[in-house]
Amino acid sequence: MKLSGAEILWECLVREGVEVVFGYPGGANMPIYDAMLSYPVHHVLVRHEQGAAHMADGYARASGRVGVAMATSGPGATNLVTGIATAMMDSSPTVFITGQVHAHLIGGDAFQETDVTGITLPITKHNYLITRADEVAEVVREAFYIARSGRPGPVLIDICKNAQIEQTEFEYPADCKLPGYQPPWHAPKSDLQKAVELIEKAKKPVILCGHGVMMSGAEEVLQHFAVKTNTPVAMTLLGLGAFPASHELSLGMMGMHGEAHCNLAIQNADLLLAFGMRFDDRVTGTLATYAPGAKKIHIDIDPSEIHKNVKADVPLVGDLKTVVTDLVPMVDEYEHEEWMMQIKEWKADGDARSIMSWPEDGKLHVSHLVHSLWNATEGGAIVTTDVGQHQMWTAQYYFMEKPKRWLSSGGAGTMGFGLPSAIGAWFAQPDEEVWTVVGDGGFQMTQAELSTAVQENANVKIAIMNNNFLGMVRQWQEFFFEKRYSAVNMRTPDFVKIAEAHGIPARLVTKPEEVQDAITFARNTPGPVLLEFRVEQEEAVYPMVPTGAALDQMLRRPVRQETE
Amino acid sequence: MQYTFIALVEDKPGVLNRVASLFRRRNFNIESLAVGRTEKTGVSRMTIVTNCENDTDAHKIEANLYKLVNVIDVQDVTRQPSVTRDLALIKVKATPEQRSEINNLVAIFRARIVDVAPDSVIVEATGTEDKVEGMIELLRPIGIMEMVRTGQVAMTRGEHCGIRRTPGANGNGWHPEEIVPVGAD
Ligand SMILES: Cc1ncc(C[n+]2csc(CCOP(=O)(O)OP(=O)(O)O)c2C)c(N)n1
């Protein structure tokens, strides 16, 4: 039977298991939207295509399945770009489908023609331009396979309008013919042996656990390995949740705003086992002084990560779960008593400085609020964040026990990610409690999606940490620019009224004694709810490794500090 | 130092752009890049000459090339026994009286004159980059009006192959230890 290219697209999406797509229609994808009506796929009409991209990304991160977003040509497609780059930096399995002008018009600056495959070339894992209907099935099949396999990432499909309309015979391809794409699985035995030799000799080992642990589903085997070898586990921002925060081997988060004892452990280690992480500059501090005494075993599915930032003594290229599963029977149980004692000492010092031990001072501190939220939700919610100070505090104080529940834009640091990614996550896990913690700045970047949340009755709870500042930039200006505040002071609207204008129940919280009540109110009210917290305005995230400093040269919160 | 890579890629629209864009984005310099068909339909072959600091950079280039879905195989032939060739067409100012002088000169390099005009000749030179450079230097004083070069193409000798430093990339099962890199014989 002959089908149109647009129908073939939906046939393929349904076969790929797609249940929901996030998108926005326009001239160049109207045949796709018309055909959609005959297929059992729920479409979420966003308010800006960036929102669609983050929703697809959030859906992917919370479910582990491929998230799909679509847009029309030209401005529709370019509005996706920030979201695509965000997904790329964090290896999120996503497929983006854009309409394109008729094939015969390409190159002629037709209305709403933009070279979308050109623009997205460096920010996609792969992309396609479809000019004929008979290409659709094969391309969609490949796109989904590429997006979710190997090191996952975004794939964009740009479909010319004529290819959406033309009729052709539909046959779903049984497999993909990709001679240049075969993601590796096992690492060679000889290299595993070399790794084992280093592991056996190590007195001060640390596992660095990254997003790759979740991407490969290696949480369980990681825990098995860590416990068997008695090795403490440090996590990157995106690795949070891959290893339970409450585990005695957990060191918490590493890096620029990581925990001091965690960074100290890394700097003093004699062996680093990097599991699906890429030694980003936010976790290494200056490379010249990074973990100088440590041998490095680097396990990654992407060979281009090996030696990219940090020279690996033993690189193991392969699927993390497979490689660690291969390693487990090869290693023994080891004692690292002295090392664990040392780490405990560092940790005690950190606890003494912790803001959590401050007495109640009548003010709202984001860290305290996050802690209250963690308590109320028993650490079980899916939490997404925006970008800035609140993001770091949430990472530090919402202790994640389980994977795929911590959604944050790490590599790209994209403000505006919080709300839409929470909506996407809710579609992935509608029975879970979903919270987004956002700053007043970033929230306003994709605030329009409040309206989407209402239309979909998305059960997401929004906590705005309003400090009337672009807090993180303000902190840098305070520390590194002699407190010369430039363009960081932000007048904000009445967020409660904005919520109410959308029909969203909302509360303003200004005092610590109102916090519990507000959180309970949000949890007990079905559908979207917004809480605005007026938080301490000029607070700094500690510890902090200034750019260019060694990882253990952290600015620490003074032990006894009167709050300003 | 100059490194030479051979990459086999799928013969599809846009692949050259992907490769070139990758070099730009990852901040590597292309000295020359030559593309053409191969003995297999659907497969093109690129010879890429680039400046690298060291083998670690070479590894980066290889591994990044593999990230491109359309790249099938990458070899580093820099230190392998191989034949490399560059072709140049050089238009030289030449009065009829100078022609025989030029003819003698180019004969030394086994180059030849392939076109004659009233006041110029076109010299075709093929060979290693060094040889072509040498030819050009000799012709320069006479007056080069125009020049075009193909960039290097390379092929390893006999059974030899290039080094593949990227273990596991592309499921090729390559692993440095398992490959015995062949030295010059
Ligand atoms: C799209 C985008 N623009 C600019 C930045 C730079 N930036 C990083 S954090 C930050 C401040 C965020 O302020 P706010 O959303 O209020 O959160 P806070 O830091 O106060 O918690 C800015 C401007 C960014 N990360 N993303």
Side-chain angles (χ1 to χ4, degrees):
Chain A
M1 196 183 64
K2 286 201 167 184
L3 295 178
S4 73
E7 287 167 324
I8 292 173
L9 172 67
W10 289 106
E11 290 283 342
C12 293
L13 293 182
V14 169
R15 281 173 174 75
E16 292 294 341
V18 175
E19 289 163 352
V20 57
V21 301
F22 307 92
Y24 213 94
N29 64 2
M30 286 185 69
I32 294 175
Y33 272 85
D34 182 61
M36 179 175 82
L37 296 174
S38 321
Y39 290 88
V41 177
H42 180 70
H43 180 270
V44 177
L45 179 63
V46 297
R47 297 303 181 266
H48 184 290
E49 289 86 348
Q50 181 184 351
H54 292 326
M55 284 179 209
D57 187 347
Y59 177 91
R61 294 186 202 214
S63 67
R65 313 222 308 266
V66 178
V68 182
M70 45 180 63
T72 189
S73 66
T78 55
N79 274 353
L80 287 174
V81 166
T82 301
I84 299 174
T86 305
M88 181 69 174
M89 288 299 274
D90 291 348
S91 308
S92 188
T94 38
V95 168
F96 296 93
I97 298 163
T98 48
Q100 182 54 280
V101 300
H102 277 263
H104 73 268
L105 294 176
I106 284 189
D109 299 328
F111 176 65
Q112 291 193 333
E113 182 196 352
T114 301
D115 175 12
V116 176
T117 43
I119 287 176
T120 59
L121 187 75
I123 55 164
T124 50
K125 185 170 171 186
H126 195 56
N127 64 20
Y128 294 91
L129 171 65
I130 296 180
T131 56
R132 296 193 324 258
D134 61 8
E135 298 169 76
V136 175
E138 198 180 297
V139 166
V140 176
R141 181 85 167 82
E142 285 182 15
F144 274 79
Y145 174 61
I146 292 171
R148 68 170 169 255
S149 59
R151 177 180 184 172
V155 179
L156 179 133
I157 309 172
D158 198 24
I159 312 183
C160 288
K161 198 165 177 182
N162 59 294
Q164 301 170 28
I165 299 166
E166 287 160 12
Q167 304 257 328
T168 187
E169 212 58 55
F170 170 59
E171 199 189 319
Y172 188 61
D175 49 22
C176 306
K177 287 181 218 71
L178 293 164
Y181 181 76
Q182 290 147 31
W185 288 99
H186 291 274
K189 200 92 212 168
S190 52
D191 280 359
L192 293 177
Q193 197 50 52
K194 280 190 213 156
V196 170
E197 279 159 30
L198 290 184
I199 295 166
E200 277 170 348
K201 266 190 258 160
K203 298 226 158 30
K204 300 187 286 178
V206 175
I207 293 170
L208 309 176
C209 150
H211 197 199
V213 173
M214 273 169 277
M215 305 259 89
S216 120
E219 301 90 348
E220 228 169 280
V221 68
L222 157 71
Q223 199 164 328
H224 194 133
F225 179 91
V227 170
K228 184 172 180 188
T229 58
N230 197 18
T231 308
V233 180
M235 281 163 269
T236 66
L237 178 73
L238 293 194
L240 294 174
F243 191 78
S246 63
H247 199 286
E248 57 176 2
L249 288 171
S250 170
L251 297 177
M253 185 168 74
M254 65 178 97
M256 182 174 272
H257 293 294
E259 311 209 25
H261 68 276
C262 182
N263 287 346
L264 283 164
I266 291 168
Q267 283 303 87
N268 291 284
D270 63 0
L271 177 66
L272 295 180
L273 297 116
F275 283 17
M277 58 82 73
R278 59 188 175 87
F279 295 104
D280 180 79
D281 54 75
R282 285 294 189 268
V283 308
T284 59
T286 185
L287 282 173
T289 54
Y290 181 65
K295 296 270 183 207
K296 283 113 187 163
I297 298 171
H298 193 175
I299 312 178
D300 206 292
I301 197 162
D302 178 355
S304 77
E305 289 301 342
I306 307 292
H307 309 317
K308 186 180 83 179
N309 297 329
V310 167
K311 184 104 176 122
D313 297 282
V314 179
L316 298 170
V317 176
D319 167 57
L320 187 73
K321 185 178 174 186
T322 309
V323 174
V324 181
T325 305
D326 289 347
L327 268 178
V328 167
M330 299 172 72
V331 295
D332 281 323
E333 291 165 24
Y334 312 103
E335 286 291 323
H336 299 125
E337 251 346 280
E338 233 173 279
W339 180 227
M340 301 308 282
M341 288 302 294
Q342 169 69 76
I343 291 172
K344 246 188 213 133
E345 248 170 64
W346 286 326
K347 188 164 187 312
D349 176 57
D351 290 346
R353 295 166 191 259
S354 169
I355 191 167
M356 301 316 288
S357 55
W358 285 11
E360 190 66 74
D361 59 1
K363 293 174 179 167
L364 292 180
H365 302 283
V366 180
S367 47
H368 291 177
L369 292 169
V370 171
H371 192 72
S372 303
L373 187 61
W374 177 76
N375 265 327
T377 56
E378 292 169 1
I382 292 176
V383 178
T384 84
T385 72
D386 220 89
V387 169
Q389 292 186 307
H390 67 278
Q391 176 189 31
M392 293 303 135
W393 277 313
T394 311
Q396 290 174 341
Y397 296 103
Y398 198 99
F399 310 111
M400 281 286 163
E401 291 296 309
K402 291 198 209 142
K404 300 204 180 85
R405 283 161 177 270
W406 163 251
L407 278 59
S408 196
S409 167
T414 305
M415 286 171 71
F417 180 79
L419 174 61
S421 65
I423 297 173
W426 176 76
F427 275 99
Q429 310 285 0
D431 300 327
E432 301 282 340
E433 183 167 352
V434 180
W435 280 83
T436 183
V437 180
V438 297
D440 48 308
F443 176 69
Q444 292 186 78
M445 285 201 174
T446 48
Q447 176 179 290
E449 303 308 335
L450 280 179
S451 176
T452 311
V454 174
Q455 187 163 343
E456 297 293 335
N457 196 25
N459 194 12
V460 299
K461 314 301 175 191
I462 303 153
I464 303 179
M465 303 298 170
N466 187 357
N467 51 13
N468 284 105
F469 271 116
L470 295 175
M472 188 57 94
V473 179
R474 185 209 59 75
Q475 175 171 344
W476 282 53
Q477 289 176 353
E478 178 189 335
F479 286 9
F480 312 121
F481 293 87
E482 295 153 355
K483 218 170 176 175
R484 287 153 55 85
Y485 288 168
S486 173
V488 289
N489 200 301
M490 188 175 255
R491 271 280 283 278
T492 50
D494 183 333
F495 289 117
V496 170
K497 275 201 184 135
I498 284 191
E500 283 167 359
H502 287 83
I504 294 178
R507 279 215 189 153
L508 175 67
V509 180
T510 56
K511 297 189 204 70
E513 52 272 23
E514 299 164 350
V515 173
Q516 284 311 333
D517 214 41
I519 293 176
T520 310
F521 160 74
R523 299 188 74 212
N524 291 346
T525 310
V529 178
L530 183 147
L531 304 179
E532 176 186 354
F533 297 94
R534 289 275 164 78
V535 299
E536 180 63 1
Q537 285 196 280
E538 296 185 63
E539 196 158 16
V541 181
Y542 290 103
M544 176 172 194
V545 182
T547 24
L551 189 59
D552 51 1
Q553 303 301 301
M554 292 161 279
L555 305 174
R556 304 287 301 273
R557 181 180 292 108
V559 177
R560 281 183 64 238
Q561 181 195 22
E562 285 306 306
T563 51
E564 297 117 289
Chain B
M1 177 188 157
Q2 273 198 352
Y3 278 70
T4 306
F5 296 94
I6 296 173
L8 296 182
V9 303
E10 283 184 90
D11 181 11
K12 286 191 171 165
V15 176
L16 176 61
N17 182 25
R18 286 177 199 277
V19 171
S21 153
L22 173 107
F23 273 74
R24 175 192 56 77
R25 183 161 70 91
R26 297 285 175 186
N27 210 11
F28 300 122
N29 259 325
I30 299 181
E31 296 280 314
S32 78
L33 193 161
V35 206
R37 298 222 177 91
T38 62
E39 70 284 2
K40 278 199 205 108
T41 41
V43 177
S44 300
R45 177 163 165 146
M46 297 184 177
T47 307
I48 307 166
V49 180
T50 167
N51 250 320
C52 286
E53 294 251 316
N54 49 38
D55 282 9
T56 308
D57 270 4
H59 164 93
K60 279 186 195 170
I61 289 179
E62 257 181 66
N64 275 290
L65 280 168
Y66 274 122
K67 280 181 85 148
L68 300 178
V69 168
N70 305 114
V71 172
I72 301 165
D73 183 48
V74 185
Q75 303 175 41
D76 174 0
V77 298
T78 308
R79 298 192 196 94
Q80 305 309 99
S82 51
V83 177
T84 61
R85 288 291 179 271
D86 192 352
L87 183 145
L89 294 177
I90 309 154
K91 191 181 283 177
V92 186
K93 231 189 251 159
T95 54
E97 300 78 56
Q98 283 177 300
R99 279 180 204 150
S100 64
E101 180 201 341
I102 294 173
N103 208 11
N104 291 341
L105 210 59
V106 302
I108 306 169
F109 285 87
R110 279 197 235 150
R112 55 204 181 106
I113 292 175
V114 292
D115 185 66
V116 178
D119 54 359
S120 70
V121 295
I122 296 179
V123 176
E124 177 194 307
T126 320
T128 60
E129 208 186 6
D130 282 356
K131 181 178 142 184
V132 174
E133 294 289 346
M135 174 85 269
I136 293 166
E137 281 323 303
L138 276 181
L139 292 175
R140 205 179 288 283
I142 302 171
I144 296 178
M145 302 162 69
E146 213 182 316
M147 182 172 85
V148 60
R149 293 174 68 169
T150 57
Q152 261 186 57
V153 292
M155 188 176 279
T156 49
R157 293 176 192 273
E159 302 259 277
H160 300 292
C161 64
I163 293 178
R164 294 169 171 96
R165 282 190 195 80
T166 310
N170 202 9
N172 62 19
W174 287 103
H175 192 245
E177 285 168 343
E178 282 148 28
I179 311 161
V180 189
V182 259
D185 38 10

